Amino acid sequence: MTGYMGTSLPGAGSKKQTEGRPAFQEGQSLGAYVMDCIYSMQEEGRAGETKEAYAARVYAKARAGKKLTPEEMNFLARTDPALYQKVLRVQALKRSLESRLKSCQSKQEAEEVFSIAVSSISEMDPDREMILAALEDTYREFKKSDEYRRLPERPEKEDRRNGMALEMNEKGYQELYLLEGTEFSFTAKG
């Protein structure tokens, strides 16, 4: 079989794979074959690693909950759509935790936000290990940031508003307290 301008396509008419290139499949369009070759060359061209080594590295990085590059995400989408969907879910959980951590007012609150995120992952979740690794990685990176270093250790004990103080309890909920020396009257309406 001949291709563009009369040149012979490698493996044309057979399913034999030529060295380093994907096999040309019966009924496959020339454009699809060229794209397969391009993807293969891109994947093999990374730091001199083979396509198999690249795939192993991307899969390991995904399962460890690390952030993947757009190229790696495209590779996963093409080669392992199920893992790709899992990685999308993990990245959404990471972004959610990052957002909540950035709104924390103290290091103690950041730790509580992280603990709540971790405890919210079900023991029965098949992706639990990947999710926990991603959340731990996100928290570890946040703790290295200048934003985290600027936070006070504990929340301010007294937020004086009309003689009342807000305090964060051990479960992460705010409790309202009446400050000493503050007059307060309560009238029940019946």
Side-chain angles (χ1 to χ4, degrees):
M1 179 182 226
T2 58
Y4 181 69
M5 298 188 68
T7 58
S8 177
L9 291 173
S14 73
K15 292 190 178 190
K16 179 182 170 215
Q17 181 174 355
T18 56
E19 188 167 329
R21 287 182 292 214
F24 185 79
Q25 304 295 319
E26 194 76 33
Q28 183 180 25
S29 73
L30 179 61
Y33 173 71
V34 170
M35 289 307 292
D36 285 347
C37 288
I38 290 171
Y39 285 137
S40 180
M41 285 186 293
Q42 285 176 339
E43 289 153 9
E44 290 178 8
R46 289 183 182 52
E49 60 188 355
T50 66
K51 184 175 180 179
E52 291 78 19
Y54 178 74
R57 186 173 56 80
V58 172
Y59 293 152
K61 191 174 174 183
R63 288 189 179 96
K66 301 290 185 190
K67 184 165 177 62
L68 300 179
T69 66
E71 290 172 343
E72 293 166 336
M73 289 296 287
N74 287 336
F75 175 78
L76 270 186
R78 283 191 334 275
T79 60
D80 193 342
L83 183 57
Y84 174 74
Q85 290 300 319
K86 291 176 183 184
V87 169
L88 288 177
R89 176 179 173 225
V90 168
Q91 287 185 349
L93 291 170
K94 282 180 68 126
R95 283 191 302 272
S96 174
L97 178 59
E98 286 170 353
S99 172
R100 286 182 280 155
L101 287 172
K102 287 180 181 178
S103 68
C104 289
Q105 300 298 313
S106 68
K107 292 177 181 175
Q108 178 186 359
E109 184 182 354
E111 186 175 329
E112 290 167 356
V113 163
F114 171 69
S115 295
I116 290 168
V118 166
S119 65
S120 71
I121 307 303
S122 170
E123 295 281 335
M124 304 302 288
D125 192 324
D127 304 324
R128 180 177 169 78
E129 288 182 33
M130 185 174 14
I131 294 169
L132 291 179
L135 295 179
E136 289 167 0
D137 186 53
T138 301
Y139 186 56
R140 188 174 29 257
E141 288 301 314
F142 178 71
K143 286 176 73 174
K144 291 178 185 176
S145 72
D146 290 335
E147 192 174 350
Y148 177 80
R149 286 188 205 106
R150 285 191 290 263
L151 292 175
E153 286 296 322
R154 299 191 160 280
E156 299 298 322
K157 290 246 179 196
E158 295 183 6
D159 182 10
R160 297 182 184 268
R161 292 184 187 150
N162 300 325
M164 297 182 194
L166 289 174
E167 200 170 301
M168 191 75 72
N169 70 14
E170 62 277 350
K171 293 184 180 178
Y173 295 102
Q174 287 185 344
E175 295 177 345
L176 185 63
Y177 295 98
L178 191 60
L179 297 174
E180 288 184 37
T182 304
E183 296 290 324
F184 183 77
S185 62
F186 176 76
T187 309
K189 294 184 179 177

